[in-house]
């Protein structure tokens, strides 16, 4: 069975381990150099931290977020860019209150390793939420849903993949369209541009829009690439 804990943006590791390897090779050819050795060691540590965030840290962030969500009865949930289902499967202790969870994705292997609807379906089938979750191949820029369809919308580490930034605004507009009045929204995303979502969501009519830095568990290699959690109500 495919693992739920696949690496996010596996190419990110090459930014750390690639230069570290080059430095080591140069030192093997031209001799040991203390500064080069320290730089190589730092790059390896950053790469290991990137791996930690992808396979451990982000799950801790999701667990903490989900433990603070009070679901209404008969709740219909949309997971935007569900990948292997990491975020939606955190709701496994609140099954009774959930009517349905829909996970949509375009299954990009650049954004997450071994990404496919079949791999995710196998993970879902083996979970306690199997009867509640439906997967769909769909782009959030053109969500195949009616207005106001979902009570809770969640999305983890997806929007930063949309470029240029204008596309993220379009995605937030689409999220707002399918979001039920009085519904809840939780977005986890990478980088300081995430702060711009706050004003966009407020302009779309969301209230209580709150953003917090997720801290150490969300560092993608270094604190310079942090993870933020945005919560809001419609
Ligand atoms: C880094 S992965 C995160 C997956 C999952 N949410 C998690 O946190 O483990 C980003 C996911 O967003 C998906 N994605 C990227 N652009 C998308 C789009 N326009 N619409 C839907 N999904 C998208 C990718 O295919 C990938 O599965």
């Amino acid at each position: 069975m495919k693992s739920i804990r696949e690496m996010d943006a596996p190419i990110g590791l090459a930014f750390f381990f690639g230069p570290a390897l080059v430095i080591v090779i140069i030192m093997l050819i031209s001799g040991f150099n203390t500064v080069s050795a320290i730089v190589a060691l730092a790059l390896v540590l950053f790469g290991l931290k990137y791996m930690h965030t992808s396979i451990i840290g982000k799950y801790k962030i999701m667990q903490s977020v989900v433990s603070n969500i009070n679901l209404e009865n008969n709740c219909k949930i949309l997971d935007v860019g569900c990948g292997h289902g990491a975020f939606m499967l955190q709701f496994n202790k609140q099954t009774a209150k959930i009517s349905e969870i829909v996970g949509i994705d375009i299954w990009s292997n650049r954004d997450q390793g071994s990404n496919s609807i079949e791999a995710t379906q196998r993970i879902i089938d083996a979970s306690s939420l199997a009867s509640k979750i439906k997967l769909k191949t769909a782009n959030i820029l053109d969500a195949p849903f009616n207005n106001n369809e979902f009570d809770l919308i969640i999305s983890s580490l997806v929007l930063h993949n949309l470029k240029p930034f204008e596309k993220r605004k379009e995605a937030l507009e689409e999220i707002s369209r399918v979001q039920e009045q009085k519904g809840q929204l939780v977005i986890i995303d990478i980088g300081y541009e995430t702060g711009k979502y706050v004003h966009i969501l407020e302009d779309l009519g969301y209230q209580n829009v709150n953003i917090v830095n997720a801290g150490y568990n969300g560092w993608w290699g270094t604190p310079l690439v942090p993870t933020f959690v945005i919560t809001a109500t419609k």
Side-chain angles (χ1 to χ4, degrees), residues 4 8-9 58-59 62 79-87 104-109 111-112 115 138-141 155-158 160-162:
I4 187 174
D8 296 294
K58 79 168 186 186
Y59 291 88
M62 289 172 182
D79 186 348
V80 174
C82 61
H84 290 81
F87 205 177
I104 62 163
D105 206 298
I106 56 169
W107 318 109
S108 156
N109 277 274
D111 298 339
Q112 192 164 72
N115 206 0
N139 192 322
I140 185 51
L141 295 172
S155 181
S156 160
L157 308 172
V158 177
H160 70 278
N161 293 302
L162 303 180

Side-chain angles (χ1 to χ4, degrees), residues 8-23:
D8 296 294
I11 189 75
L13 283 179
F15 287 111
F16 299 111
F17 293 141
L21 184 63
V22 170
I23 291 171

Side-chain angles (χ1 to χ4, degrees), residues 4-227:
I4 187 174
R5 300 203 180 212
E6 294 290 346
M7 281 296 299
D8 296 294
I11 189 75
L13 283 179
F15 287 111
F16 299 111
F17 293 141
L21 184 63
V22 170
I23 291 171
V24 169
I25 291 170
I26 290 171
M27 280 197 295
L28 286 173
I29 295 167
S30 58
F32 182 81
N33 174 296
T34 308
V35 174
S36 301
I38 290 171
V39 171
L41 179 63
L43 286 166
V44 169
L45 291 176
F46 295 154
L48 292 174
K49 177 63 192 108
Y50 185 102
M51 290 174 73
H52 168 271
T53 294
S54 188
I55 59 180
I56 297 173
K58 79 168 186 186
Y59 291 88
K60 292 191 173 169
I61 296 169
M62 289 172 182
Q63 281 156 12
S64 153
V65 165
V66 169
S67 68
N68 284 315
I69 295 178
N70 287 318
L71 295 182
E72 300 289 328
N73 283 329
N74 219 21
C75 187
K76 187 168 176 183
I77 303 174
L78 174 65
D79 186 348
V80 174
C82 61
H84 290 81
F87 205 177
M88 56 189 176
L89 288 171
Q90 302 301 327
F91 288 89
N92 59 357
K93 295 194 180 78
Q94 305 184 51
T95 316
K97 290 191 165 179
I98 296 170
S99 67
E100 186 179 16
I101 304 179
V102 180
I104 62 163
D105 206 298
I106 56 169
W107 318 109
S108 156
N109 277 274
R110 184 177 57 86
D111 298 339
Q112 192 164 72
S114 307
N115 206 0
S116 71
I117 192 167
E118 293 80 12
T120 303
Q121 189 62 61
R122 283 194 288 275
I123 291 166
I124 301 305
D125 288 346
S127 79
S128 59
L129 281 165
S131 64
K132 306 267 179 168
I133 295 178
K134 285 202 180 72
L135 299 177
K136 240 182 208 291
T137 299
N139 192 322
I140 185 51
L141 295 172
D142 187 17
F145 305 114
N146 296 324
N147 294 354
N148 313 322
E149 226 186 294
F150 295 94
D151 303 294
L152 169 63
I153 301 185
I154 58 174
S155 181
S156 160
L157 308 172
V158 177
L159 296 186
H160 70 278
N161 293 302
L162 303 180
K163 293 176 182 110
F165 188 87
E166 187 59 28
K167 290 212 179 299
R168 300 195 214 175
K169 186 164 180 276
E170 286 171 33
L172 291 170
E173 286 165 359
E174 214 31 10
I175 284 171
S176 173
R177 180 184 69 75
V178 301
Q179 172 103 62
E180 181 62 270
Q181 293 300 322
K182 298 201 167 84
Q184 301 179 75
L185 173 65
V186 182
I187 294 174
I188 299 174
D189 208 9
I190 300 174
Y192 287 101
E193 279 198 314
T194 305
K196 295 183 189 168
Y197 304 170
V198 172
H199 299 298
I200 296 171
L201 290 172
E202 284 170 346
D203 288 348
L204 288 167
Y206 282 89
Q207 296 172 356
N208 309 312
V209 185
N210 190 35
I211 181 165
V212 290
N213 187 322
Y216 175 78
N217 281 319
W219 293 355
W220 293 89
T222 79
L224 297 177
V225 191
T227 301

